[in-house]
Amino acid sequence: MTYVALSAAFLGGALLVAAIAVVRVAVVAGAGALAAVARRWWLPALVAAAVVLLLTALFDNLMIAAGLMAYASKHLSGLHIARAPLEDFAYPVAALVLLPSLWSLFGALRLPAHTVSRLAAVSRPVSWINTAFPFAAAYYLSIREVDAVLVVGTVFFLVPYNLAMYGVNDVFDYESDLANPRKGGIEGAMLDRRLHRVTLVAAIAVCVPFVIALVLMGTPAAWAALAVSLFAVAAYSVPGLRFKERPFLDSATSSTHFVSPAVVGLALADAAWTPALVALLAAFFLWGVGSHAFGAVQDIVPDREGGIGSVATVMGARWTVRFAIAAWLAAGLLMLTTPWPGPLAGLLALPYIAIAMPYRSVGDERSASANRAWRRFIWLNYASGFLVTLILISYVIERPLS
Amino acid sequence: MSAIYLIVLLAALGCMVLLDHRFALVFWRRAGVATAVVVAGVVFLLAWDVFGIGLGIFARGENPYMTGILLAPQLPLEELFFLAFLCYLVMVLVTGADRVLEWLRGRS
């Protein structure tokens, strides 16, 4: 692709945003208001354009002369302003079109000052790492270099993915969250009804550019993995599907939220699907299933009062704790089948089993007491994440990419 | 390797901040909106860079003025600050031109 085509594509994107901004003003405030905006801003925009293009002509030439960047001449149109390729001017032009349009769009949102921080809380910053790390580790271990896919994918699974997952969840969980005081703190954020619309819009808006980029950079296998991942994010809580209220499907879908980023990373890296890799992913999946089931135990009482189903409300506290222990044990045993240093990660199942064991016979009425173990579980995850990282590093050192 | 280019960019950004502060143009007009606009603009232009680099259209040049810290292959740390500066500059120019034109109209 030539520099002209690339610039045209991005200029087109900027113009599209501008068109949306214009249509919004016309629809919301009327044609008269649009004319007033145009009357007020055409001259400042023209002056700004003249100045920024003049500055670009001057400084782009200076930067090229200083050797800050280099161009592959075969991709250039050949038109230059002194030494600066004409295509470079598309950057300031696009910025001039895009930024004031965004100002108009974002400004119209009239977000209360705290909305952004509320949205950040909704995305559960303490959990960001739980989805970004599986992706980044899987991708990096497969290709052993830092590239654009790694950066884009990691950022996507760090914030936008979590905003979508927890935002959609909180919007559609509103009623049951009201009955559950635990959701207001570290483990969740109860979402004001007025923020529901902006949460859904923000979740989609921040995800779409990343998904488009990952689709452009990936193969059909990666598209499939990404589709499964995004489906699991939505299906967990959207009305009609509500997988979180279907026993067993709830734990499986929750586990998919954390395993699928790794699968997307492996698919993007075109990794070889060895039996050891499948065993590792199966172990990760079982760990996620067990963890979700155990997490549901503490909510049995409020969930039943809210009329919400889960593996724990249907099967009872005692059964579910034992199921979680069995899933963690199976995950640990699966890791024993992987090549060294994989079996070391199998040992990490033991502390999980240890924190759940005291609750193996807990009655449904006392199930809320499992929250104590859940708090330990959250910290244990950080410790295990650290140890898993050390194991992965030793794997990288011991097995250079052939 | 040196930090000259980075320091120049930071100084230019600092000048934008001074103008913004004095005349309430961008962040001192609506801080939340300005933050969202500049972040979105930088992400947009960074994506443009990443595609340009990935397609082999342009790359980092050989020069003694940059820190050598890379955000991704061929994408120097300085580019992030350059793009932030470009976005900030554009918004300061548009709102600043509006302010200047208003002032001129007021005098006549």
Side-chain angles (χ1 to χ4, degrees):
Chain A
M1 188 147 93
T2 64
Y3 196 9
V4 174
L6 176 68
S7 304
F10 275 86
L11 261 177
L15 285 168
L16 184 67
V17 174
I20 293 169
V22 166
V23 169
R24 194 203 66 82
V25 171
V27 169
V28 173
L34 186 62
V37 169
R39 261 199 312 278
R40 159 126 190 233
W41 290 103
W42 73 271
L43 194 52
L46 212 62
V47 171
V51 175
V52 80
L53 288 175
L54 208 66
L55 289 172
T56 303
L58 180 61
F59 282 95
D60 207 34
N61 271 300
L62 273 175
M63 287 156 75
I64 291 166
L68 297 185
M69 57 265 197
Y71 301 84
S73 57
K74 62 173 175 170
H75 292 303
L76 301 184
S77 68
L79 299 173
H80 289 79
I81 306 276
R83 291 178 66 176
L86 194 61
E87 295 92 322
D88 270 2
F89 289 78
Y91 272 76
V93 171
L96 270 165
V97 172
L98 178 71
L99 297 177
S101 306
L102 287 176
W103 185 282
S104 161
L105 286 170
F106 292 161
L109 288 176
R110 295 263 160 225
L111 293 180
H114 69 279
T115 300
V116 173
S117 64
R118 291 296 300 141
L119 287 180
V122 164
S123 75
R124 314 290 199 276
V126 288
S127 297
W128 286 357
I129 192 78
N130 298 341
T131 46
F133 187 82
F135 171 84
Y139 186 82
Y140 181 78
L141 288 179
S142 302
I143 67 159
R144 305 288 172 91
E145 61 180 46
V146 177
D147 63 9
V149 177
L150 180 64
V151 174
V152 171
T154 305
V155 172
F156 171 66
F157 284 112
L158 193 66
V159 186
Y161 181 83
N162 283 299
L163 180 61
M165 178 156 73
Y166 293 110
V168 169
N169 181 67
D170 287 4
V171 166
F172 296 115
D173 268 16
Y174 184 69
E175 297 305 328
S176 66
D177 279 9
L178 273 185
N180 189 348
R182 192 177 62 79
K183 293 277 170 70
I186 183 175
E187 297 146 65
M190 204 160 67
L191 195 58
D192 192 322
R193 196 186 282 279
R194 282 169 304 177
L195 291 178
H196 286 187
R197 215 172 83 95
V198 69
T199 302
L200 294 179
V201 170
I204 292 168
V206 295
C207 283
V208 164
F210 286 92
V211 172
I212 290 173
L214 290 174
V215 165
L216 287 175
M217 293 186 286
T219 59
W223 302 345
L226 195 58
V228 170
S229 190
L230 294 174
F231 175 74
V233 161
Y236 191 64
S237 44
V238 293
L241 293 171
R242 296 293 286 176
F243 283 5
K244 66 183 298 176
E245 295 182 22
R246 300 169 196 268
F248 297 101
L249 204 51
D250 57 350
S251 298
T253 310
S254 166
S255 187
T256 303
H257 291 158
F258 303 100
V259 179
S260 65
V263 177
V264 170
L266 293 166
L268 282 169
D270 218 358
W273 294 92
T274 60
L277 183 58
V278 174
L280 184 150
L281 289 172
F284 186 15
F285 184 75
L286 279 170
W287 170 84
V289 167
S291 301
H292 175 274
F294 185 65
V297 171
Q298 59 189 319
D299 289 334
I300 287 178
V301 173
D303 278 355
R304 281 183 181 157
E305 280 170 6
I308 290 175
S310 76
V311 61
T313 62
V314 171
M315 304 305 293
R318 201 175 80 106
W319 189 94
T320 307
V321 172
R322 291 176 184 208
F323 171 71
I325 290 171
W328 287 327
L329 186 65
L333 291 174
L334 264 175
M335 285 312 292
L336 296 183
T337 70
T338 62
W340 186 262
L344 280 180
L347 296 175
L348 291 174
L350 297 176
Y352 286 96
I353 295 170
I355 59 168
M357 275 310 256
Y359 299 89
R360 66 188 179 281
S361 299
V362 75
D364 290 359
E365 70 291 345
R366 289 204 60 254
S367 57
S369 66
N371 179 247
R372 264 176 71 86
W374 185 251
R375 286 167 185 279
R376 291 194 197 118
F377 170 91
I378 288 175
W379 291 111
L380 178 58
N381 274 348
Y382 283 103
S384 326
F386 172 68
L387 293 171
V388 165
T389 307
L390 289 185
I391 293 168
L392 289 176
I393 290 169
S394 72
Y395 176 84
V396 170
I397 293 167
E398 271 187 38
R399 289 167 206 273
L401 202 61
S402 53
Chain B
M1 272 189 280
S2 70
I4 294 174
Y5 181 37
L6 187 58
I7 291 167
V8 168
L9 285 172
L10 289 174
L13 269 168
C15 294
M16 290 300 118
V17 171
L18 287 178
L19 280 171
D20 190 1
H21 176 66
R22 170 67 181 81
F23 298 105
L25 298 175
V26 184
F27 286 89
W28 273 268
R29 180 183 293 231
R30 288 186 70 180
V33 176
T35 307
V37 166
V38 170
V39 168
V42 168
V43 168
F44 176 81
L45 297 176
L46 262 186
W48 195 334
D49 271 355
V50 166
F51 273 92
I53 290 164
L55 293 165
I57 293 169
F58 44 72
R60 193 169 66 103
E62 286 302 317
N63 67 79
Y65 310 117
M66 296 203 280
T67 57
I69 300 168
L70 297 184
L71 299 173
Q74 301 298 338
L75 187 70
L77 172 70
E78 284 86 347
E79 184 67 4
L80 184 67
F81 289 90
F82 173 75
L83 296 178
F85 168 71
L86 180 60
C87 289
Y88 201 0
L89 173 71
V90 162
M91 287 312 300
V92 164
L93 280 176
V94 174
T95 52
D98 176 57
R99 191 64 57 85
V100 170
L101 289 166
E102 220 164 71
W103 180 73
L104 286 177
R105 272 195 289 269
R107 272 170 32 119
S108 62

